[in-house]
Amino acid sequence: MTARCTSHLFALGHIPQSPLFSKTPCSHHQTPLVCDTASGIITWDCWDQEEVMLVPYALFLGGDNPMQAEECSQGGLNCNYYCRTCHAGGLKEYKELEAGYCSLFKPGIPRTPGGTLQEIKNQFEMAVLSGASMKIQASVSSTGVHDSLSLSILNMVVEMGKRLHKQGSGNRVLQESEIKAMLEKELTELLGGKDLDDMLNPLLGMEGINIHMDTPTEILHTILLGIVKYFWGQTVVGAGMPLLGEMRRVERLG
């Protein structure tokens, strides 16, 4: 193969990913591949021995439920609003009522990438305030938004704020405005000259895809190994242990 051919980008059917790394950090490298090549990539077709143009685009992002929740910057099932697609849910007291319980089986107001990004930015604004840890925790619980990619930066700012509020500077207690200015400076240094948007989940700003809608439900674990498995298990247990033993025997024979 000539040097001219080896300098081309070659077609890839998928982008491999190591199981040692989470999905969202890898998206920082995958997203530019799609966004920066909208005008096409000239590459070499080894089969037909000719140049071709590839125009990559995102159709959907697969994965199991935990991975797709991370792709959507969703906080998980312990949040009041735990759906990665819509705002279904509510406070615990409401969900225990008949009306609240029934509402869980109806679609809520759809989530939007822009709304999720704004909630993440709001949490960074809370990070430079007094009592940041509790405020951010309450925000995650009440909104269901939790960005794992920028979490390390957020935590460092929060921990620094705790130390400053606890110790002060020498014998002089720092004013709230001074602490806020110091934390904002620390955040700027942690960003390394980049804009905050560059450190957040890149899938939320990916052109041509709505990450909240373009993550298809993974049926195997959600339905078959989720609702069906546990409903069947509770039914068998409720029917009595003799029946359970008989079913296990039939399962082994089968």
Side-chain angles (χ1 to χ4, degrees):
M1 187 177 292
T2 66
R4 181 170 176 269
C5 292
T6 57
S7 66
H8 284 286
L9 291 174
F10 283 83
L12 294 176
H14 66 283
I15 300 177
Q17 178 181 324
S18 169
L20 301 178
F21 296 92
S22 62
K23 173 70 177 179
T24 312
C26 292
S27 300
H28 257 309
H29 303 286
Q30 297 175 11
T31 304
L33 176 62
V34 176
C35 296
D36 298 343
T37 57
S39 59
I41 303 173
I42 302 300
T43 186
W44 182 257
D45 189 324
C46 299
W47 184 267
D48 292 327
Q49 295 293 300
E50 64 180 2
E51 283 189 342
V52 295
M53 174 182 285
L54 303 179
V55 182
Y57 63 93
L59 181 60
F60 65 87
L61 282 85
D64 57 12
N65 289 320
M67 176 180 286
Q68 290 184 327
E70 183 179 343
E71 291 171 347
C72 297
S73 294
Q74 208 281 328
L77 296 178
N78 291 326
C79 299
N80 291 330
Y81 297 90
Y82 47 75
C83 180
R84 69 173 184 269
T85 302
C86 70
H87 288 87
L91 297 176
K92 180 176 181 293
E93 294 77 12
Y94 172 71
K95 289 183 287 188
E96 290 177 347
L97 299 175
E98 181 177 354
Y101 179 75
C102 291
S103 71
L104 301 180
F105 299 90
K106 301 176 182 178
I109 299 174
R111 291 184 182 271
T112 63
T116 301
L117 273 175
Q118 186 57 53
E119 289 294 343
I120 299 172
K121 292 178 182 179
N122 291 343
Q123 293 174 9
F124 272 90
E125 293 178 0
M126 297 175 190
V128 300
L129 303 177
S130 177
S133 181
M134 296 297 295
K135 291 177 180 177
I136 294 173
Q137 184 178 353
S139 173
V140 173
S141 177
S142 62
T143 65
V145 175
H146 173 79
D147 185 34
S148 60
L149 187 62
S150 59
L151 184 61
S152 59
I153 296 177
L154 189 68
N155 285 341
M156 283 189 279
V157 176
V158 171
E159 290 302 317
M160 181 178 177
K162 288 180 180 179
R163 294 194 300 270
L164 292 175
H165 281 98
K166 183 177 181 180
Q167 300 175 12
S169 178
N171 296 325
R172 185 175 70 86
V173 178
L174 294 173
Q175 298 296 320
E176 188 65 34
S177 58
E178 294 178 292
I179 295 177
K180 183 178 179 180
M182 295 172 68
L183 293 177
E184 289 175 344
K185 180 181 178 182
E186 177 69 12
L187 176 58
T188 301
E189 293 178 354
L190 290 172
L191 293 176
K194 296 182 179 180
D195 189 75
L196 178 59
D197 289 337
D198 297 329
M199 306 303 292
L200 305 181
N201 183 356
L203 298 176
L204 293 171
M206 190 172 184
E207 186 177 355
I209 191 170
N210 181 342
I211 191 61
H212 293 296
M213 301 300 295
D214 297 327
T215 47
T217 300
E218 199 266 311
I219 298 176
L220 174 61
H221 291 87
T222 305
I223 307 299
L224 297 180
L225 297 179
I227 299 172
V228 173
K229 171 185 174 182
Y230 291 106
F231 181 79
W232 176 252
Q234 291 299 316
T235 302
V236 171
V237 171
M241 295 305 294
L243 178 59
L244 177 61
E246 180 66 21
M247 288 184 173
R248 286 176 175 172
R249 188 181 72 84
V250 172
E251 185 179 81
R252 288 195 298 270
L253 293 176

